[in-house]
């Protein structure tokens, strides 16, 4: 995923499927803000960078949720390394 492909969900939006993130660092360039975050799924953690327009009011340690369009997601089989459709149900 590219940082600009994420959309930050409002705190009130609990219906849209999203990924829970915790902010590790904020880099404000003026025109855009890069949020360096951590996603925790089960016992695993992954670093995720989110690019948002303008200045954002997030600080270190704050939680946020993001979503993306299915067409922006690229999945690959761990076994064959072939690209999978996001609409496939088996790997």
């Amino acid at each position: 995923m590219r940082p600009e492909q994420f959309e930050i969900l409002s705190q009130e939006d609990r219906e849209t499927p999203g990924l829970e993130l915790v902010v590790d660092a904020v880099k404000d360039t003026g025109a855009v803000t890069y949020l360096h975050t951590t996603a925790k799924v089960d016992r695993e953690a992954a670093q995720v960078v989110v690019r948002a327009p303008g200045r954002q009011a997030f600080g270190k340690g704050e939680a946020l949720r993001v979503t993306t369009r299915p067409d922006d997601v690229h999945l690959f089989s761990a076994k064959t390394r072939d690209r999978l459709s996001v609409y496939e149900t088996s790997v």
Side-chain angles (χ1 to χ4, degrees), residues 34-79:
Y34 290 93
L35 302 169
H36 295 261
T37 67
T38 300
K40 293 184 182 176
V41 180
D42 296 326
R43 295 182 183 182
E44 301 293 320
Q47 303 302 305
V48 177
V49 179
V50 176
R51 178 181 156 179
R55 293 202 157 99
Q56 298 294 315
F58 293 100
K60 185 175 181 178
E62 289 190 60
L64 69 140
R65 292 179 64 245
V66 296
T67 192
T68 189
R69 296 181 339 192
D71 293 345
D72 289 336
V73 177
H74 304 286
L75 303 174
F76 297 87
S77 168
K79 293 179 183 178

Side-chain angles (χ1 to χ4, degrees), residues 7-20 64-67:
E7 176 187 341
I8 298 173
L9 297 170
S10 70
Q11 290 182 347
E12 295 81 25
D13 183 353
R14 302 309 292 177
E15 293 181 21
T16 303
L19 178 64
E20 304 272 345
L64 69 140
R65 292 179 64 245
V66 296
T67 192

